[in-house]
Amino acid sequence: MKIYQYPAKEKWTGLIKRPVLQKDEISETIENIFSLVEKNGDKALAELSKKFDSAEVSNLSISNEEIEAVCKTVSPDLKKAIQLAKDNISRFHASQREEIQKIETTKEVICWRESRAVEKVGIYIPGGTAPLFSTVLMLAVPAQLAGCKEIVLCTPPDKDGNINPAIAYAAQLCGVTQLFKVGGAQAIAAMTLGTESIPGVYKIFGPGNQYVVAAKEYAQQYGVSIDMPAGPSEVLVIADEKAVPAFCAADLLSQAEHGSDSQVIFISTDLSILKQTVKEIDEQIKLLPRNELAQQSLDNSHFILLNTVEEAIEFSNLYAPEHLILAVENFEKHIPQIQNAGSVFLGNYSCESAGDYASGTNHTLPTNGFAKNYSGVSLDSFVKKITFQHISEKGLRNLGKTIEIMAQSEGLAAHKNAVTIRLKRRNNETI
Amino acid sequence: MKIYQYPAKEKWTGLIKRPVLQKDEISETIENIFSLVEKNGDKALAELSKKFDSAEVSNLSISNEEIEAVCKTVSPDLKKAIQLAKDNISRFHASQREEIQKIETTKEVICWRESRAVEKVGIYIPGGTAPLFSTVLMLAVPAQLAGCKEIVLCTPPDKDGNINPAIAYAAQLCGVTQLFKVGGAQAIAAMTLGTESIPGVYKIFGPGNQYVVAAKEYAQQYGVSIDMPAGPSEVLVIADEKAVPAFCAADLLSQAEHGSDSQVIFISTDLSILKQTVKEIDEQIKLLPRNELAQQSLDNSHFILLNTVEEAIEFSNLYAPEHLILAVENFEKHIPQIQNAGSVFLGNYSCESAGDYASGTNHTLPTNGFAKNYSGVSLDSFVKKITFQHISEKGLRNLGKTIEIMAQSEGLAAHKNAVTIRLKRRNNETI
């Protein structure tokens, strides 16, 4: 890790730099996978799964019996925890529902918005070392709340062709309508193009390795939309003299254990807190099973001493972190200054893990500086907001001249005429 | 135009097809433009404007004096109309502000969202035959309401280096912070990369020709986001036996006059209304200055007779039109059936022109079938919604075990430890 004491603002640009992601190399592979899936459908998926995941899958779809059987192997404690997390996520995302507000902008000109679910959505859940059943909750819960009709989930099987029990359990609990054993870029291609077994969807969500990320970007060329662009996960912790070094260290490590490319930034206004946090990290990391990954991430991390919390937030706004932890006293007064962040954790007991799993907020958040121009996943991500308007004859009389003048000035005579022809009609004529 | 009477549902897939957009050919040009602007900044912009727009521009930025002078040439009637439209657009978009709702998902676990403006936004307004000052209103009004700090607008100058007075007037009225005389893909490159004069922005909005559209797509590789993917403008009109053929014809023509690639679909449940509408189009088109463009568009249009309004909406949901006009009696009862559309106009007097200019709804809408998975521009497009959470010590005790079990099951020990280390602390210890 690198420690910077009171770096000048000119140096900040260097400190907020993200690692440059290599994309070009794999684009040919992705194009290839899409073209195979387009041509050969399920057969291509089976071949690609064998090639990339060493998985023999005779049947891509998973029967209800298989789901039931596999769910029985999930411990009661984990089931209870998943249920509680689901309840909290549901409660928070349900609060994001928008009520219809009819606005009379001009007398008898009524405008409003109504939300409609994206009818078909796809969720990708990676396999590998960490079976992210929590991400199933974060994506399927709002999809179900929004009223998506088809919620398709793809996740890679292990070498024996089985999927993770907790993923299956979370999927059936949260209303996933179809569950398929397929992973990688081929899963994204399948949900984009549709195959004999897997339906094509309108929007694809979920994390993945660089191939999955590249495939999601590529999918957009087919008119499919995606949750957001991706990058390595990040946390920025701001700690004043009232912070607890052991807690800060634990939070930084929980980010670092995600992978060697995880981004960790620690800013303190207190040198002693900064030093103690470094010391705590050295202690705590020894006990972690994923300590090698965490150490690689920490090697690239920045530990920065600044003068004030205000200055620290100024830095944070420039960096635009996915997760921002404000381990400071009187955090309330700093909230208005926060401009760019994915999700913010306030005070000494609001650890990132809470939001990652169970407090109710979504953990699918903008990384890589995208918090400057993207929101995290929410109920909004699963709906379109359609505008409606009803204008009465009288309403059009109130508004008509304005429209006519503007259309005329833009040289669009037919736009003008659509009003004129209506206004010309006699007042008392029934329509 | 082509008329289809009661086409079988198997035929619908053919009828909802959009023209295929050619993209590949111009991607080299776009890359070239971005690389020139990156290397040579303002100098490249001047050269490219001369090459593509035949415009000699000595100074890219427009002084306040120049804006004031040019605004004086806008007629009082047009100023009044722009002001009224602005008021309506403001009223409707202000209603989209989200109030902060603090949700206690578990006792002493409080979660909420707060909106923050995208700090720097760019607006592109094309020049050419139709000076779209209405689009300035549609984009700058919500940007200002959202609180965007920098609202940069680029629009191409004419051959004498002047910009359209109504565009300048609308820009200053709606809080555009900087106005530049530059158009085309080079304007998008400038707002993406920044030059000596033009600041780089985080999100780019606005319509344009195929070069501008391709440049906006390309800009995303630099981390800039855009309003939405683009395609030719569209309307689908559904008319029952109570519709007014002259009104329907005027609405279809107002779409058709946009350009030869405009998409026009007319569905009626009444053969006589359909025939009369066709006849009305033949009459009305003669009087239009842009009748050649309109005719080309109409040549590719579909006129369809179906049995019921329900069936017509089923077709419309498959097509997902940018604009949907329901010229039917009892339109209220059909609203819940509408799933995919950008903006909906209800009844015989709600013409599309109203929404294009002045009723208050936004006219930047998803085309090309994107209404299945995208919303039109709204206040939401100019903000990010950041989640916040505050968990007290007691709150974490209530939620802690759930987090620990889930983190453990995902194999993320440091995530678990961030909770454990906090729960281990003695209850009465001050922090």
Side-chain angles (χ1 to χ4, degrees):
Chain A
M1 72 187 67
K2 288 160 206 141
I3 298 178
Y4 307 83
Q5 294 200 23
Y6 307 112
K9 285 199 182 166
E10 307 86 72
K11 298 264 168 77
W12 287 12
T13 320
L15 294 175
I16 62 164
K17 275 212 178 110
R18 267 50 173 212
V20 177
L21 306 173
Q22 293 305 331
K23 289 182 188 176
D24 296 349
E25 296 155 25
I26 58 173
S27 68
E28 211 177 304
T29 311
I30 300 299
E31 275 179 45
N32 221 338
I33 289 173
F34 271 71
S35 118
L36 283 170
V37 172
E38 191 159 26
K39 221 187 297 168
N40 301 328
D42 285 348
K43 195 163 151 272
L45 296 180
E47 283 167 10
L48 291 162
S49 291
K50 197 171 167 184
K51 185 176 169 189
F52 292 120
D53 299 333
S54 317
E56 289 280 2
V57 181
S58 53
N59 200 344
L60 287 166
S61 69
I62 309 177
S63 69
N64 287 340
E65 291 72 34
E66 195 178 345
I67 293 175
E68 245 174 71
V70 81
C71 287
K72 282 189 184 143
T73 69
V74 178
S75 77
D77 273 359
L78 181 55
K79 280 184 181 167
K80 208 176 132 194
I82 289 176
Q83 181 65 53
L84 193 147
K86 182 195 176 226
D87 292 346
N88 282 356
I89 296 164
S90 296
R91 215 166 279 139
F92 186 57
H93 287 74
S95 78
Q96 294 161 5
R97 280 202 184 106
E98 191 180 75
E99 282 193 31
I100 296 173
Q101 278 188 79
K102 298 200 173 181
I103 308 293
E104 189 167 36
T105 54
T106 287
K107 191 99 183 120
E108 298 202 19
V109 175
I110 319 278
C111 305
W112 69 97
R113 295 202 293 182
E114 296 190 21
S115 296
R116 293 288 187 277
V118 177
E119 291 177 286
K120 305 174 187 187
V121 298
I123 297 175
Y124 183 74
I125 303 293
T129 51
L132 300 179
F133 59 84
S134 60
T135 307
V136 180
L137 297 176
M138 295 296 173
L139 299 175
V141 167
Q144 192 180 28
L145 277 175
C148 301
K149 273 189 207 150
E150 291 189 27
I151 307 172
V152 175
L153 190 149
C154 289
T155 190
D158 64 17
K159 283 172 192 174
D160 305 319
N162 299 315
I163 64 159
N164 180 277
I167 289 176
Y169 178 74
Q172 59 81 27
L173 185 71
C174 302
V176 166
T177 55
Q178 284 160 287
L179 189 54
F180 296 100
K181 287 180 195 171
V182 59
Q186 62 269 28
I188 307 300
M191 292 192 283
T192 304
L193 303 161
T195 69
E196 302 91 316
S197 305
I198 303 180
V201 300
Y202 300 150
K203 190 166 185 177
I204 298 175
F205 296 79
N209 62 22
Q210 56 174 339
Y211 289 91
V212 169
V213 167
K216 280 172 66 188
E217 272 184 33
Y218 191 72
Q220 295 181 87
Q221 297 190 19
Y222 293 84
V224 167
S225 58
I226 63 170
D227 42 6
M228 70 188 82
S233 191
E234 311 158 341
V235 73
L236 188 151
V237 178
I238 297 176
D240 68 5
E241 71 285 358
K242 293 292 176 68
V244 184
F247 297 0
C248 293
D251 291 337
L252 295 167
L253 284 167
S254 76
Q255 187 58 51
E257 79 170 337
H258 274 299
S260 54
D261 59 356
S262 271
Q263 302 292 299
V264 169
I265 296 183
F266 181 70
I267 304 180
S268 187
T269 54
D270 186 295
L271 184 58
S272 151
I273 294 283
L274 190 141
K275 283 182 177 167
Q276 287 177 66
T277 302
V278 171
K279 210 175 134 224
E280 274 285 342
I281 287 175
D282 290 340
E283 292 299 316
Q284 291 182 24
I285 197 170
K286 290 177 199 154
L287 307 170
L288 293 179
R290 293 165 74 104
N291 56 11
E292 272 184 46
L293 286 177
Q295 190 57 58
Q296 285 168 31
S297 161
L298 285 170
D299 288 346
N300 299 316
S301 66
H302 298 325
F303 280 62
I304 305 170
L305 189 68
L306 290 177
N307 288 299
T308 61
V309 174
E310 286 73 16
E311 209 183 8
I313 295 180
E314 194 183 336
F315 184 97
S316 174
N317 283 337
L318 268 183
Y319 181 74
E322 181 190 12
H323 304 99
L324 169 61
I325 299 179
L326 274 196
V328 304
E329 227 190 357
N330 302 325
F331 48 79
E332 290 92 348
K333 75 167 188 177
H334 298 292
I335 292 174
Q337 200 201 332
I338 298 168
Q339 291 298 327
N340 301 318
S343 196
V344 184
F345 300 79
L346 301 164
N348 284 324
Y349 281 89
S350 304
C351 53
E352 192 203 304
S353 302
D356 287 341
Y357 289 109
S359 63
T361 58
N362 208 291
H363 77 198
T364 307
L365 296 166
T367 56
N368 207 30
F370 286 117
K372 287 180 180 159
N373 44 6
Y374 287 88
S375 308
V377 162
S378 70
L379 194 66
D380 300 341
S381 312
F382 296 88
V383 301
K384 306 95 56 179
K385 296 188 179 173
I386 302 177
T387 48
F388 288 82
Q389 60 201 285
H390 177 247
I391 305 177
S392 71
E393 190 193 335
K394 204 169 152 199
L396 194 64
R397 290 197 185 277
N398 294 332
L399 198 59
K401 191 155 179 238
T402 297
I403 302 166
E404 288 179 317
I405 292 169
M406 291 176 77
Q408 175 84 44
S409 303
E410 286 193 352
L412 296 173
H415 280 66
K416 179 184 177 189
N417 190 52
V419 175
T420 313
I421 206 165
R422 284 170 164 95
L423 294 185
K424 267 190 194 156
R425 255 187 127 81
R426 278 165 300 132
N427 265 328
N428 54 355
E429 189 168 347
T430 324
I431 287 172
Chain B
M1 72 188 66
K2 287 160 208 140
I3 297 178
Y4 306 83
Q5 295 200 22
Y6 308 112
K9 285 197 183 168
E10 306 86 70
K11 300 265 168 77
W12 287 12
T13 320
L15 295 174
I16 62 164
K17 276 212 178 109
R18 265 55 172 207
V20 177
L21 307 172
Q22 293 305 329
K23 290 182 187 176
D24 296 348
E25 297 156 24
I26 59 173
S27 68
E28 211 177 306
T29 311
I30 300 299
E31 275 179 45
N32 219 341
I33 289 172
F34 271 70
S35 118
L36 282 170
V37 172
E38 191 159 25
K39 220 188 296 168
N40 300 329
D42 286 349
K43 196 164 151 271
L45 296 180
E47 284 166 9
L48 291 163
S49 291
K50 197 170 168 186
K51 184 175 168 190
F52 293 120
D53 299 333
S54 316
E56 289 279 1
V57 182
S58 53
N59 199 345
L60 286 166
S61 69
I62 308 175
S63 68
N64 286 340
E65 293 72 34
E66 196 178 343
I67 293 175
E68 244 176 70
V70 81
C71 286
K72 281 188 184 144
T73 68
V74 177
S75 77
D77 273 358
L78 181 54
K79 281 184 180 167
K80 207 176 132 196
I82 289 176
Q83 181 65 54
L84 192 146
K86 181 193 176 229
D87 291 346
N88 282 355
I89 296 164
S90 296
R91 214 165 280 140
F92 185 57
H93 287 73
S95 77
Q96 294 160 5
R97 281 201 184 106
E98 191 180 76
E99 281 193 32
I100 295 174
Q101 278 188 78
K102 297 200 174 181
I103 308 294
E104 189 167 36
T105 55
T106 287
K107 192 95 183 126
E108 298 203 20
V109 175
I110 319 277
C111 305
W112 70 97
R113 296 202 293 182
E114 295 191 20
S115 296
R116 293 288 186 277
V118 178
E119 290 177 286
K120 305 175 187 186
V121 298
I123 296 175
Y124 182 74
I125 303 293
T129 51
L132 300 179
F133 58 84
S134 59
T135 306
V136 180
L137 298 175
M138 295 296 172
L139 299 174
V141 167
Q144 192 179 27
L145 278 175
C148 301
K149 273 188 206 149
E150 290 189 28
I151 306 173
V152 176
L153 190 149
C154 290
T155 190
D158 64 17
K159 283 172 193 175
D160 305 319
N162 299 316
I163 64 159
N164 179 278
I167 289 176
Y169 177 74
Q172 59 81 29
L173 185 70
C174 302
V176 166
T177 55
Q178 284 161 285
L179 190 53
F180 297 99
K181 287 180 195 171
V182 59
Q186 61 269 29
I188 306 300
M191 291 193 283
T192 303
L193 303 161
T195 69
E196 302 91 317
S197 304
I198 302 180
V201 300
Y202 300 149
K203 190 165 184 177
I204 298 176
F205 297 80
N209 63 22
Q210 55 175 338
Y211 290 91
V212 169
V213 167
K216 279 172 66 186
E217 271 183 35
Y218 191 72
Q220 295 182 86
Q221 298 191 16
Y222 294 84
V224 167
S225 57
I226 63 171
D227 43 5
M228 71 189 82
S233 191
E234 312 156 342
V235 73
L236 188 150
V237 178
I238 297 175
D240 68 5
E241 71 284 358
K242 293 292 177 66
V244 184
F247 297 180
C248 293
D251 291 337
L252 294 166
L253 284 166
S254 76
Q255 187 58 50
E257 78 171 337
H258 274 299
S260 55
D261 58 357
S262 271
Q263 302 293 300
V264 169
I265 295 184
F266 181 69
I267 304 180
S268 186
T269 53
D270 186 295
L271 183 59
S272 151
I273 294 284
L274 191 141
K275 283 181 176 167
Q276 287 176 66
T277 302
V278 171
K279 208 175 138 225
E280 274 286 341
I281 288 176
D282 290 341
E283 292 300 314
Q284 291 182 25
I285 198 170
K286 292 177 195 151
L287 308 169
L288 293 179
R290 293 165 74 103
N291 56 11
E292 271 183 47
L293 285 178
Q295 191 57 58
Q296 284 168 32
S297 162
L298 286 170
D299 288 346
N300 298 315
S301 66
H302 298 326
F303 281 61
I304 304 170
L305 188 68
L306 289 178
N307 288 300
T308 61
V309 174
E310 286 73 16
E311 207 183 11
I313 295 180
E314 194 183 337
F315 183 98
S316 174
N317 283 336
L318 268 183
Y319 181 74
E322 182 190 12
H323 305 98
L324 168 62
I325 300 180
L326 274 196
V328 304
E329 228 191 357
N330 302 324
F331 48 78
E332 291 94 346
K333 74 166 188 175
H334 297 292
I335 291 174
Q337 200 200 333
I338 298 168
Q339 291 298 328
N340 301 318
S343 197
V344 184
F345 300 78
L346 300 164
N348 285 324
Y349 282 89
S350 303
C351 54
E352 192 202 305
S353 302
D356 287 343
Y357 289 109
S359 64
T361 58
N362 209 290
H363 77 200
T364 308
L365 295 166
T367 56
N368 207 31
F370 286 116
K372 287 180 180 159
N373 45 5
Y374 287 87
S375 307
V377 163
S378 71
L379 194 65
D380 300 339
S381 313
F382 295 88
V383 301
K384 304 96 54 179
K385 295 188 179 173
I386 303 177
T387 48
F388 288 82
Q389 60 202 285
H390 176 249
I391 306 177
S392 71
E393 191 194 334
K394 204 169 150 198
L396 195 63
R397 288 195 188 277
N398 293 332
L399 199 59
K401 190 153 180 241
T402 297
I403 303 167
E404 288 179 317
I405 291 168
M406 291 176 78
Q408 175 83 44
S409 302
E410 286 194 351
L412 297 172
H415 281 66
K416 179 186 177 189
N417 190 51
V419 174
T420 313
I421 205 165
R422 285 170 162 96
L423 295 185
K424 267 191 196 154
R425 254 188 128 81
R426 278 167 298 133
N427 265 329
N428 55 353
E429 190 170 347
T430 325
I431 288 176

